[in-house]
């Protein structure tokens, strides 16, 4: 069966690459699809950064991927030849959004530092990580035809000279930790739960039934962006059920009490939060977890607590692994002491 979809490259803003050759290979006997060139300045990790090409053509789903690229900030070249899960792609492609339209529009290929390659299905409301690959470093001779008569080191130097901000960032901060993107791309099984409790000054307590401040802490909607390049803004309770995904990057929950509207925005630290997830799930061999959002807007006490069948004692996520901002009826109610986001950062 053939489908209408677009392709796009994607790469981190400060670690761009030059893709010399990029194809999604279709079934035998069908022409391969070139992965449309992306622009690292047009989006974040996981975004479709190529220009939209309007086409009425349909294609079968890809069965493998072929890539050769040069990493400008590393002055290295990599290659990848790998199969794709065609059946999984076709199964996911059947999903519809809240308007009954196809949930996905793009197959996005992301290239990270140290040879990492991600493949996503992406749409406006939802995206899914399909694969996380590791490319092999290749020598200069294998890309000689693409280097325009100069060495790979010179090619990368000239590319950086044309991107002053990238060059300055590299000089000041260097390359990211070697395990950063591997930690970002790890997948876990979890769900969010809103806890109706109050903080008595020493510990969290459950309300007596007659003292309940909320009839029930039901989120009107909950949306999430993740470090693995995926997002979910369907607002269909999917995040309140167990789902497989990477560590959250940004999280927003909204709920109503009488005529009052509450919103909480969370921003997670790019290194500390993935490390906490990895330690909780992998070191403790946890299969799935409840991520409980403790919310007491009367005393402005907020915590994130992990609980699972394997670990009976709830574990509090350290406060320095995330920042938060709380609104009541569009007016700021509370911000964490470590809050340093730019004005309007919650507008997403």
């Amino acid at each position: 069966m053939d489908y209408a979809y677009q392709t796009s490259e994607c790469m981190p803003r400060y670690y761009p690459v030059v893709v010399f050759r990029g194809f999604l290979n279709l079934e035998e006997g069908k022409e391969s699809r070139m992965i449309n060139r992306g622009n690292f300045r047009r989006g974040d990790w996981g975004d479709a950064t190529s220009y939209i090409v309007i086409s009425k053509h349909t294609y079968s789903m890809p069965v493998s991927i072929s890539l050769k690229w040069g990493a400008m900030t590393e002055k290295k070249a990599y290659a990848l030849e790998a199969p794709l899960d065609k059946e999984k792609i076709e199964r996911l492609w059947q999903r519809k959004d809240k308007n009954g339209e196809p949930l996905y529009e793009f197959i996005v290929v992301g290239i990270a530092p140290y040879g990492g390659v991600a493949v996503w299905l992406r749409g406006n409301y939802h995206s899914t990580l399909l694969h996380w690959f590791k490319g092999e470093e290749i020598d200069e001779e294998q890309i000689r035809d693409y280097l325009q008569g100069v060495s790979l080191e010179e090619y990368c130097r000239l590319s950086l000279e044309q991107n002053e901000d990238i060059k300055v960032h590299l000089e000041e901060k260097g390359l990211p930790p070697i395990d950063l993107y591997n930690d970002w791309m790890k997948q876990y099984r979890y769900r969010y739960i809103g806890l109706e409790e109050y903080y008595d000054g020493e510990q969290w307590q459950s309300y007596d039934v007659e003292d309940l401040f909320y009839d029930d802490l039901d989120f009107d909607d909950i949306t999430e962006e993740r470090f693995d390049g995926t997002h979910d803004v369907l607002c269909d309770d999917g995040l309140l059920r167990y789902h497989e995904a990477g560590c959250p990057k940004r999280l927003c929950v909204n709920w109503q009490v009488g005529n009052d509207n509450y919103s909480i925005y969370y921003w997670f630290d790019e290194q500390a939060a993935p490390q906490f997830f990895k330690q909780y799930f992998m070191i403790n061999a946890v299969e799935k977890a409840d991520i409980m959002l403790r919310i007491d807007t009367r005393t402005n006490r907020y915590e994130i607590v992990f609980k699972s069948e394997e670990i009976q004692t709830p574990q509090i996520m350290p406060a320095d692994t995330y920042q938060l901002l709380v609104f009541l009826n569009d007016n700021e109610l509370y911000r964490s002491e470590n809050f340093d986001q730019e004005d309007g950062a919650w507008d997403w």
Side-chain angles (χ1 to χ4, degrees):
M1 183 175 179
D2 287 353
Y3 305 86
Y5 62 89
Q6 300 190 61
T7 66
S8 176
E9 291 173 358
C10 168
M11 59 199 74
R13 189 176 301 271
Y14 288 108
Y15 309 106
V17 304
V18 177
V19 177
F20 300 124
R21 185 180 186 278
F23 288 93
L24 295 176
N25 303 310
L26 309 184
E27 297 172 318
E28 187 175 353
K30 296 187 177 181
E31 186 176 357
S32 297
R33 284 206 66 182
M34 187 176 75
I35 302 167
N36 290 331
R37 293 295 172 89
N39 185 333
F40 63 91
R41 299 189 185 281
R42 296 189 66 231
D44 293 321
W45 180 241
D47 288 345
T49 61
S50 67
Y51 291 99
I52 295 177
V53 179
I54 304 299
S55 173
K56 296 182 179 180
H57 292 294
T58 59
Y59 306 87
S60 63
M61 285 299 170
V63 297
S64 65
I65 183 172
S66 300
L67 286 173
K68 280 187 179 180
W69 71 95
M72 290 189 291
T73 54
E74 298 175 60
K75 298 181 180 178
K76 293 182 179 180
Y78 297 90
L80 174 72
E81 298 281 344
L84 300 177
D85 191 337
K86 177 176 177 288
E87 287 72 24
K88 181 180 180 180
I89 298 174
E90 289 184 329
R91 183 174 68 253
L92 290 171
W93 209 268
Q94 305 304 318
R95 295 185 61 189
K96 306 294 182 182
D97 65 21
K98 58 187 178 181
N99 299 316
E101 298 295 325
L103 184 59
Y104 303 108
E105 302 171 86
F106 280 88
I107 297 178
V108 179
V109 175
I111 303 175
Y114 312 112
V117 176
V119 182
W120 300 275
L121 298 186
R122 183 176 178 87
N124 288 329
Y125 299 107
H126 184 79
S127 58
T128 298
L129 176 66
L130 291 173
H131 295 282
W132 173 240
F133 296 117
K134 178 70 173 179
E136 294 184 357
E137 187 176 347
I138 58 176
D139 60 43
E140 193 170 303
E141 289 304 315
Q142 297 182 60
I143 55 169
R144 178 66 63 189
D145 292 342
Y146 304 103
L147 295 180
Q148 303 174 9
V150 299
S151 67
L152 175 61
E153 183 174 353
E154 181 69 3
Y155 186 94
C156 292
R157 186 190 68 79
L158 292 172
S159 297
L160 287 176
E161 291 293 339
Q162 299 174 26
N163 296 276
E164 184 65 23
D165 57 330
I166 307 299
K167 181 181 177 182
V168 171
H169 184 274
L170 186 64
E171 291 172 349
E172 293 180 350
K173 298 188 175 182
L175 292 168
I178 194 166
D179 290 329
L180 181 64
Y181 280 83
N182 286 329
D183 290 343
W184 282 10
M185 307 309 288
K186 291 184 186 301
Q187 300 292 286
Y188 309 100
R189 189 165 180 77
Y190 60 90
R191 66 177 176 178
Y192 292 105
I193 296 177
L195 283 184
E196 184 182 7
E197 297 180 329
Y198 71 95
Y199 190 72
D200 67 2
E202 294 183 359
Q203 59 185 349
W204 289 87
Q205 303 281 357
S206 298
Y207 286 102
D208 294 331
V209 174
E210 61 270 19
D211 295 328
L212 287 175
F213 182 53
Y214 310 119
D215 292 334
D216 194 5
L217 189 56
D218 287 335
F219 296 135
D220 292 336
D221 61 66
I222 177 169
T223 61
E224 184 182 50
E225 291 186 0
R226 311 179 188 103
F227 287 111
D228 67 2
T230 65
H231 68 286
D232 194 326
V233 295
L234 289 172
C235 305
D236 64 350
D237 293 334
L239 298 178
L240 304 179
R241 301 188 296 269
Y242 288 114
H243 58 285
E244 187 170 326
C247 172
K249 178 181 180 181
R250 299 191 297 185
L251 177 70
C252 173
V253 295
N254 298 283
W255 74 100
Q256 190 171 16
V257 180
N259 294 323
D260 291 326
N261 297 302
Y262 289 87
S263 299
I264 299 184
Y265 295 85
Y266 300 85
W267 290 264
F268 295 86
D269 184 83
E270 66 176 22
Q271 294 190 42
Q275 277 294 316
F276 179 85
F277 265 69
K278 183 170 71 171
Q279 291 171 4
Y280 186 83
F281 280 90
M282 302 186 69
I283 294 177
N284 297 308
V286 172
E287 292 186 4
K288 61 182 181 180
D290 295 332
I291 300 180
M292 301 180 290
L293 306 178
R294 281 176 167 165
I295 297 170
D296 185 354
T297 55
R298 290 187 293 181
T299 64
N300 277 326
R301 181 80 177 196
Y302 309 90
E303 286 184 353
I304 299 177
V305 180
F306 283 57
K307 185 178 180 181
S308 61
E309 293 181 359
E310 294 85 353
I311 304 177
Q312 296 299 316
T313 303
Q315 186 168 346
I316 299 174
M317 191 173 190
D320 61 0
T321 61
Y322 62 92
Q323 305 173 29
L324 62 87
L325 183 66
V326 185
F327 287 101
L328 168 59
N329 298 325
D330 296 326
N331 296 310
E332 183 179 318
L333 179 65
Y334 173 82
R335 66 173 60 194
S336 60
E337 293 183 358
N338 62 347
F339 186 85
D340 63 2
Q341 301 294 318
E342 296 180 357
D343 187 42
W346 52 88
D347 187 16
W348 57 280

